[in-house]
């Protein structure tokens, strides 16, 4: 029997049947997105597939909020299945991040699609979803050296 912390729950946008496996998510109608999540330790791993835009983003706010509430440490996002993400979709992710930070949690993008990578890079937002660094090592000296 599988440990309850490793059980996955699949959430879909309203009106969309629950997919089984990765192949089903590839055949989502335009403008639809689906999430699935599984608890692992103090974090919840969330997979988002499809198109993340204004409409699908509004539909996913609830399930993403549920996943955040279910975690004690935060969310690890797998966005590799996103075929489209616009600024409205990015707003959903940024709002999720702010909600997590207000609760002492983090949202980390573990895997991304080229589309999402490009959007984050263009806006300079990729570091907002990077894992926190426990020990920052700066190769520059803190004080000027005298030779």
């Amino acid at each position: 029997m599988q440990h309850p912390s490793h059980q996955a729950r699949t959430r879909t946008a309203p009106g969309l049947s629950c997919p089984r496996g990765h192949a089903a998510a590839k055949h989502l109608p335009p403008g639809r997105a689906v999430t699935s999540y599984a608890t692992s330790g103090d974090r919840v791993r969330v997979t988002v597939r499809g198109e993340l835009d204004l409409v699908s983003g509004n539909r996913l706010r609830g399930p993403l909020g549920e996943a955040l509430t279910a975690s004690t440490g935060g969310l690890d996002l797998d966005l590799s299945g996103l075929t489209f993400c616009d600024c409205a979709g990015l707003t959903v992710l940024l709002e999720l991040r702010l909600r997590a930070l207000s609760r002492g949690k983090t949202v980390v993008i573990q895997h991304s699609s080229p589309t999402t990578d490009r959007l984050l890079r263009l806006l300079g937002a990729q570091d907002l979803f990077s894992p926190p660094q426990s020990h920052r090592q700066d190769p520059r000296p803190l004080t000027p050296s005298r030779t």
Side-chain angles (χ1 to χ4, degrees), residues 78-95:
D78 179 350
L79 306 179
S80 61
L82 281 181
T83 57
F84 177 82
C85 183
D86 63 8
C87 290
L90 179 61
T91 297
V92 171
L93 297 176
L94 289 169
E95 289 171 353

Side-chain angles (χ1 to χ4, degrees), residues 34-119:
V34 63
T35 63
S36 62
Y37 56 98
T39 303
S40 178
D42 69 338
R43 301 191 60 80
V44 173
R45 186 179 58 251
V46 179
T47 302
V48 183
R49 300 188 191 294
E51 297 183 0
L52 188 56
D53 59 13
L54 180 64
V55 174
S56 64
N58 285 335
R59 290 180 176 159
L60 293 182
R61 276 189 171 94
L64 290 171
E66 289 175 20
L68 181 62
T69 299
S71 74
T72 56
L75 303 179
D76 292 325
L77 301 179
D78 179 350
L79 306 179
S80 61
L82 281 181
T83 57
F84 177 82
C85 183
D86 63 8
C87 290
L90 179 61
T91 297
V92 171
L93 297 176
L94 289 169
E95 289 171 353
L96 180 65
R97 179 184 176 272
L98 287 175
R99 196 174 336 155
L101 291 174
S102 73
R103 297 177 185 177
K105 302 177 183 183
T106 59
V107 175
V108 176
I109 296 176
Q110 295 290 342
H111 305 283
S112 188
S113 67
T115 302
T116 309
D117 279 340
R118 183 172 188 268
L119 180 61

